[in-house]
Amino acid sequence: MRPLILCAFLLAPAFGADPIRFLAEKKVFVLDAGPNTIAFGLNERSEIQPLYFGQRLWRDQDLPAAHALREWASFDRTSTITPQEYPGYGAGLFVEPGIKVTLQNGVRDTVLKYVSHVIKGDVLEIKAKDQGYDLQVSLFYHVYPQGIVEKHTVITNKTPNVLTLESAQSGTLHLPPGEGYRLTYLYGRWAGETQMVHEPINPGVKVLESRRGNTSQQSNPWFAIDGPAPVSETNGAVWFGALGWSGNWRIAIEQTSHQQVRVTGGLNTFDFAHTLKPGESLETPPFYLGFTDQGFGEASRALHRFQREYILPGGLTSKARPILYNSWEATTFNVNEQGQTELAKKAASLGVERFVMDDGWFGARNDDHAGLGDWTVNPKKFPNGLKGLIANVKALGMDFGIWVEPEMVNPNSDLYRAHPDWAMHFPDRPRSEARNQLILNMARDDVKEHIFAVLDKLVSENDIAFLKWDMNRNVSEPGWPEVAPSEQKKMWLQYTRNVYEIIDRLRQKHPGLEIESCSGGGGRIDMGILRRVDQVWTSDNTDALDRLKIQEGYTQAYTPKAMMAWVTDVPNFNGRSTPLAFRFLVAMQGSLGIGNNLNHWKDEDFALAKKMVAYYKQVRNTVQTGKLYRLASPRDPSGFQSSQYVAEDGKQSVVFATLHSQQYGRPVPTLHLQGLDEKAVYKVTVLNGRTLELSGASLMHRGLDLNLTGDYAATSVLIERI
Ligand code: GLA
């Protein structure tokens, strides 16, 4: 995509201009984000009023000045119906506010007016202030070439008294007024994450949110809005966005009775009250927003590229994800040096690059009733400490990773016996256990420092390349008795900030360390955690068929590079058994891992797995850093699914195709590939099958017929530019 963007820059006269401009005469801000333009202006009341968010415009003169809308009726004053980039709750505002404040004197009226602005390259800061009190809000906009703008705000209390924020949002997206839009979002539950839902947007407010203390499996902080004309994978207008926050978040999608469609995202207002003393500030999480006129496929590719370049640690210089083996489904809590070494030998023989020991290695952790919090190696299971196993793993040519769940404690643990007050609780209320564990109040500085010290010691004393950081329950009884009642609700924010801080400090101190975000599967996947981890655990559900839909939903929002997908034993989750080749070809559509009990494998399983691992290594860069085209949806009633990846340099492409169950002897549909060069000729090799030479035009327009028959059939096609 980069060359295309460069071309666009060269072709259009205004594209040589600065990416952010202020047209002083009209008081209009123009922001160019790669293929998109965003514009807003200052109206007669000095409010910041959105004007445009869509395809790139090349002529600044075309943009109108901002004018407040006329009052519709005494019930809809101009303050309510004039769209604002970041309205305060005040002056009779009835739409979702950007900010809601209670001042110490009881005033609950905030009207923000433009004060000044600073443009620094691709970042704009607009300083606004309440019309009366010295409550200041800086609105930040950062534009990126992938068509994305990042919005967040910094709210500063410059008044002489304490104030309380009751809503602190990151920003708002305004669509062209109208009806007939459609919302797409991701919902789910444990073992059923990132399920796609489409629904019409009607008057009223639809709230996507988490109140659970983490991102949540139930709802993911991503949305897309398409329409009003029908939109497909390849065509049509899609506005999309994602919040970079792993705590309580909220995205409100609203259609007003004046047909304004607006999306407000930021910190959840539920149980939220954040005090600011004089001089204190609150920075809201980043809200990433984008647009494309090329359908859902391009919307996701823009996010994938953006995440790979700007969000994931290391950006474009970061390594390909190694193929890992994880012991969890094979041995659960029954880990010991000998057993893990046996598995490691077998994993290494397959070509696996990283061996990860999961739960069960520490304290009295023989099942999920005890030991969480005691992060010292169990001497009975590991008489040589971790060093013995790590040496064996390294001698086999793999690096070593380990599971931790730092935010948790079993009541039956030395940590809890020493610090019962560290678990989140209200003093006179029962503490609800989930999976026999309580959640530590990570908002406390002493807890944060303890967890940092424990993890720092673990990775300093052992040659650990990778942590799988888990979080296996949500918050209940969100008390913080050590601080004043008026401060206790700050826990929600401070918890997430401290988790972020620990990860950031660990990575800084141990630059080679890689981290996976796991929360009972996909409970902590968002653009906030992706800034600090290398990969995520997509779901505890490793049933290959279920995974196809989970992966389809996941890739709407997040890059396949970070999407961990394991091949595991059958019968799996639903009691379903699928062939090993099918399981591999599903898992290879993301970052491949293996979680089988290799002690139970037959020679032919090893032979097949070796071939698949070698094949994955051949195509891994294309899968992980290429462009993803979802050719056929697993939600299609035909039961046929296919995804195609095209390397950034266009030299390689790989197609995966799966068939749930053939019916009536019907052949699978012809596959029309995408993203190839029409004029180029490609060598086309079907896995275990024929090799042909075909032009890009033929592959995309005439298509490719695959011979997939029966149930749980799967194949892959390698396409190499000649
Ligand atoms: C969670 C994770 C699993 C595994 C177990 C260990 O459920 O998602 O992958 O690590 O915990 O207890």
Side-chain angles (χ1 to χ4, degrees):
M1 201 57 201
R2 272 196 169 266
L4 269 183
I5 289 165
L6 285 178
C7 280
F9 270 105
L10 293 177
L11 287 177
F15 288 173
D18 297 331
I20 300 180
R21 302 177 291 284
F22 180 60
L23 316 179
E25 238 163 76
K26 278 193 276 191
K27 297 191 182 159
V28 166
F29 292 92
V30 188
L31 285 67
D32 290 329
N36 295 329
T37 295
I38 297 114
F40 39 85
L42 306 176
N43 66 21
E44 302 75 358
R45 297 195 292 260
S46 292
E47 294 159 353
I48 307 148
Q49 184 174 334
L51 295 169
Y52 180 73
F53 196 125
Q55 264 162 301
R56 184 81 171 246
L57 305 177
W58 64 272
R59 212 169 160 265
D60 289 349
Q61 298 95 296
D62 295 346
L63 286 160
H67 293 294
L69 303 189
R70 283 224 309 271
E71 173 172 308
W72 170 249
S74 54
F75 298 96
D76 274 333
R77 300 185 59 243
T78 167
S79 53
T80 284
I81 60 173
T82 300
Q84 286 188 57
E85 278 288 297
Y86 196 76
Y89 169 71
L93 184 97
F94 301 114
V95 293
E96 291 286 324
I99 182 175
K100 183 172 184 307
V101 183
T102 298
L103 299 177
Q104 203 186 39
N105 59 5
V107 167
R108 303 191 310 283
D109 182 76
T110 303
V111 177
L112 295 176
K113 307 249 173 177
Y114 166 88
V115 176
S116 63
H117 70 267
V118 186
I119 298 173
K120 278 194 196 138
D122 44 18
V123 177
L124 164 67
E125 176 186 359
I126 298 186
K127 295 179 182 168
K129 192 182 108 24
D130 175 63
Q131 63 185 7
Y133 291 89
D134 214 354
L135 168 68
Q136 301 185 358
V137 179
S138 278
L139 280 61
F140 286 91
Y141 297 80
H142 191 162
V143 290
Y144 293 91
Q146 290 81 4
I148 309 272
V149 58
E150 180 260 327
K151 295 188 181 183
H152 74 269
T153 57
V154 175
I155 303 160
T156 306
N157 178 11
K158 293 274 187 169
T159 75
N161 301 308
V162 178
L163 58 78
T164 306
L165 294 170
E166 282 147 12
S167 174
Q169 303 302 300
S170 303
T172 299
L173 164 72
H174 290 258
L175 274 71
E179 292 177 312
Y181 287 108
R182 187 176 68 147
L183 170 68
T184 303
Y185 61 97
L186 302 171
Y187 85 103
R189 60 179 182 185
W190 176 76
E193 293 86 342
T194 53
Q195 304 291 310
M196 274 173 86
V197 198
H198 302 289
E199 67 185 36
I201 296 182
N202 284 315
V205 187
K206 165 93 186 183
V207 175
L208 311 175
E209 64 169 353
S210 167
R211 302 177 175 192
R212 294 168 176 263
N214 73 350
T215 323
S216 99
Q217 287 138 328
Q218 285 66 21
S219 190
N220 188 276
W222 169 89
F223 73 91
I225 298 178
D226 67 86
V231 170
S232 67
E233 271 292 299
T234 52
N235 227 305
V238 184
W239 289 261
F240 53 92
L243 267 172
W245 188 241
S246 314
N248 285 359
W249 59 271
R250 182 174 193 264
I251 297 176
I253 299 99
E254 186 175 15
Q255 181 180 309
T256 71
S257 46
H258 291 263
Q259 289 75 47
Q260 288 169 8
V261 179
R262 52 201 303 282
V263 183
T264 306
L267 299 170
N268 203 334
T269 47
F270 177 80
D271 202 36
F272 182 82
H274 194 93
T275 53
L276 288 181
K277 294 197 193 92
E280 281 185 347
S281 296
L282 171 78
E283 181 172 337
T284 59
F287 196 22
Y288 303 96
L289 298 164
F291 170 82
T292 178
D293 63 346
Q294 292 163 50
F296 282 94
E298 186 53 30
S300 351
R301 285 188 292 278
L303 279 170
H304 299 171
R305 271 195 303 275
F306 176 63
Q307 288 156 6
R308 288 199 314 270
E309 287 192 36
Y310 294 100
I311 300 292
L312 285 169
L316 291 181
T317 61
S318 70
K319 288 190 306 189
R321 296 293 80 229
I323 300 171
L324 65 73
Y325 178 83
N326 178 293
S327 66
W328 175 243
E329 289 198 29
T331 50
T332 62
F333 301 95
N334 303 318
V335 294
N336 57 47
E337 183 176 322
Q338 203 194 343
Q340 294 292 296
T341 302
E342 278 312 305
L343 285 172
K345 281 184 194 155
K346 290 178 175 139
S349 79
L350 300 174
V352 165
E353 298 154 323
R354 169 171 291 168
F355 183 85
V356 184
M357 176 163 64
D358 212 281
D359 202 346
W361 58 269
F362 51 91
R365 186 77 169 166
N366 296 319
D367 53 38
D368 61 18
H369 286 79
L372 267 185
D374 301 338
W375 299 105
T376 43
V377 66
N378 180 312
K380 280 206 197 99
K381 297 178 183 178
F382 297 92
N384 305 309
L386 289 173
K387 291 199 165 52
L389 174 61
I390 295 177
N392 296 342
V393 166
K394 301 222 62 156
L396 289 162
M398 298 181 290
D399 69 25
F400 180 78
I402 197 161
W403 179 93
V404 288
E405 195 181 357
E407 298 151 78
M408 299 292 159
V409 66
N410 282 125
N412 185 1
S413 67
D414 293 341
L415 182 73
Y416 190 74
R417 283 182 280 273
H419 298 284
D421 53 320
W422 283 10
M424 214 175 278
H425 69 285
F426 292 110
D428 57 348
R429 310 281 302 167
R431 304 173 179 202
S432 303
E433 292 176 23
R435 208 193 189 204
N436 311 301
Q437 62 199 56
L438 296 169
I439 183 162
L440 294 174
N441 185 355
M442 299 292 289
R444 290 174 56 136
D445 274 345
D446 49 0
V447 174
K448 174 184 76 181
E449 290 307 325
H450 170 79
I451 298 301
F452 174 77
V454 162
L455 295 174
D456 181 36
K457 185 166 185 282
L458 181 68
V459 293
S460 299
E461 290 179 354
N462 298 290
D463 193 354
I464 290 174
F466 170 82
L467 292 180
K468 174 177 171 182
W469 180 309
D470 208 342
M471 182 199 191
N472 273 314
R473 61 161 293 175
N474 294 130
V475 171
S476 61
E477 298 92 27
W480 187 358
E482 295 75 21
V483 302
S486 62
E487 300 287 297
Q488 289 194 12
K489 290 181 183 169
K490 281 185 167 170
M491 183 282 294
W492 294 114
L493 192 79
Q494 200 53 34
Y495 184 111
T496 301
R497 281 182 175 166
N498 283 354
V499 169
Y500 284 174
E501 186 193 312
I502 296 172
I503 299 178
D504 293 345
R505 279 164 65 189
L506 272 178
R507 291 195 77 117
Q508 213 173 7
K509 193 157 173 211
H510 306 277
L513 182 69
E514 294 192 342
I515 299 179
E516 174 175 286
S517 169
C518 171
S519 177
R524 187 143 65 193
I525 304 178
D526 61 80
M527 284 178 61
I529 203 71
L530 282 177
R531 283 170 75 177
R532 22 187 77 82
V533 301
D534 306 272
Q535 59 193 54
V536 296
W537 182 221
T538 318
S539 177
D540 274 352
N541 182 344
T542 55
D543 172 88
L545 193 66
D546 285 356
R547 265 303 174 102
L548 286 175
K549 284 189 196 143
I550 293 173
Q551 292 178 182
E552 184 196 40
Y554 169 100
T555 65
Q556 300 297 320
Y558 306 109
T559 167
K561 182 175 186 187
M563 179 178 79
M564 290 313 296
W566 304 347
V567 175
T568 56
D569 287 334
V570 289
N572 200 292
F573 210 78
N574 303 293
R576 181 179 292 122
S577 291
T578 56
L580 188 56
F582 183 86
R583 283 175 269 152
F584 262 103
L585 290 165
V586 170
M588 283 154 73
Q589 299 183 37
S591 279
L592 178 65
I594 296 175
N596 303 71
N597 190 337
L598 301 177
N599 297 325
H600 298 163
W601 268 18
K602 302 197 185 73
D603 288 349
E604 61 257 35
D605 298 328
F606 280 101
L608 177 64
K610 261 184 217 167
K611 258 179 66 182
M612 289 295 192
V613 167
Y615 183 63
Y616 185 71
K617 285 180 182 169
Q618 207 183 335
V619 300
R620 143 167 70 188
N621 279 324
T622 301
V623 172
Q624 295 188 4
T625 63
K627 297 175 206 158
L628 167 64
Y629 298 88
R630 291 177 294 255
L631 301 182
S633 165
R635 288 173 299 146
D636 192 275
S638 70
F640 177 63
Q641 173 273 342
S642 179
S643 57
Q644 179 198 358
Y645 303 76
V646 180
E648 280 287 346
D649 66 6
K651 289 190 180 145
Q652 189 190 63
S653 174
V654 61
V655 173
F656 296 97
T658 64
L659 176 64
H660 167 243
S661 55
Q662 191 182 21
Q663 283 163 40
Y664 313 106
R666 281 189 195 135
V668 294
T670 299
L671 265 189
H672 295 278
L673 304 198
Q674 295 178 38
L676 301 177
D677 178 352
E678 302 231 348
K679 297 272 183 262
V681 176
Y682 296 88
K683 182 174 157 203
V684 178
T685 312
V686 180
L687 191 66
N688 303 323
R690 61 210 156 110
T691 299
L692 341 153
E693 282 185 13
L694 290 167
S695 67
S698 175
L699 285 164
M700 293 194 289
H701 308 314
R702 199 193 144 272
L704 196 62
D705 291 311
L706 298 177
N707 182 23
L708 278 188
T709 57
D711 293 350
Y712 302 123
T715 190
S716 176
V717 184
L718 179 62
I719 294 148
E720 292 157 303
R721 200 180 170 129
I722 296 175

